[in-house]
Amino acid sequence: MTSTSTAFRVLSAAGLLSFGAAAAQASPVTPDVIFGSGNANGGYTVATGSYEPFVITQVDTISSASTNITPSSDANLEIGLRAKLRFDEFNQPRNIFNQSGSTYTFDAGAAPGGFGFDANSPTTPVWNFEWSVTTDLDRDMPIPGVTSLSALTYELRIDGDSGIGVNFAKFDPIRIAQADHALGNLLTGNGDGVVAGSAAEYQANLAKYSVAQNSWNYEFFNEPTDGAFLSELAAFDPSEDGTYRIEFEAFFDGKSVASTGIDVVVGNGASPAPSPVPVPAALPLLVAALGGLGAIRRRKRA
């Protein structure tokens, strides 16, 4: 993973909140896919919500005049997740999602080459998961610090259990010291997201932009030598059939605004837990009868 951050933390805000959330659905994200190049929009499992932004006061440093900034209505937010084929048979990315509802299906097996920084790694899956958040759907450019990325907190939950259960690694992927996310606003075009070159620039961009996106692979997190190592993914094996749950949630003032989730099915997916073998209905009666017979024999011997 190319992010220079080494720690993840959730920050809380303060203020009042009113919000609503809509169910997740398959959709493109707003305004477009702004990371990388050649990435098609669509195939995301998207959810929306709303929150009541804070009223803030701006003070002119020269005249000392103050101005209250009060949004005219609730701010509307969108979050999305999808999985995508990152490595085809030629080790190239493809806009293939293999989506059915909120489920994405890919072959089991390691990538045929993988990333240059960890070439031929046996722990690199052929698929990536991609996340997106837009904190202000109503303004081309958000109100800095009010409806921008810095106004909320977030939680990404990544499953390391290939079985039918979950073993989540949980962290805030945005409110961290620095990351290589593509940031922008509603005017940002496909592949035109801004990537900060320093921690100071990243923090400034969180306060002025409303869109954050990235494309991640389990390879970024599953080895102790990774800068963002997650112990829950230490046993991840891309060649193993399994089902992995990934969830993304946005919070305002500590309260959930919107959440979405996807299932990534690898190979044949997770094997269901074995069902208990049913006991024949007559077996308890037989056991009781045998027990009674033993008691009779003991009495006769006495």
Side-chain angles (χ1 to χ4, degrees), residues 223-267:
E223 297 179 4
T225 54
D226 295 330
F229 172 64
L230 301 172
S231 60
E232 293 84 355
L233 272 60
F236 173 72
D237 181 355
S239 65
E240 178 182 348
D241 289 348
T243 301
Y244 299 92
R245 179 73 178 170
I246 301 172
E247 299 177 349
F248 189 29
E249 191 165 8
F251 300 86
F252 186 82
D253 190 26
K255 300 178 179 65
S256 178
V257 176
S259 63
T260 188
I262 63 174
D263 294 305
V264 180
V265 175
V266 178

Side-chain angles (χ1 to χ4, degrees), residues 279-294:
V279 176
L283 184 59
L285 297 176
L286 176 61
V287 172
L290 292 175
L293 181 59

Side-chain angles (χ1 to χ4, degrees), residues 39-50:
N39 293 301
N41 200 358
Y44 282 87
T45 299
V46 169
T48 58
S50 62

Side-chain angles (χ1 to χ4, degrees), residues 129-154:
F129 68 93
E130 300 179 339
W131 55 264
S132 172
V133 59
T134 301
T135 59
D136 193 339
L137 294 171
D138 306 304
R139 302 169 181 83
D140 287 343
M141 292 176 286
I143 302 173
V146 179
T147 63
S148 61
L149 291 162
S150 62
L152 295 95
T153 58
Y154 314 86

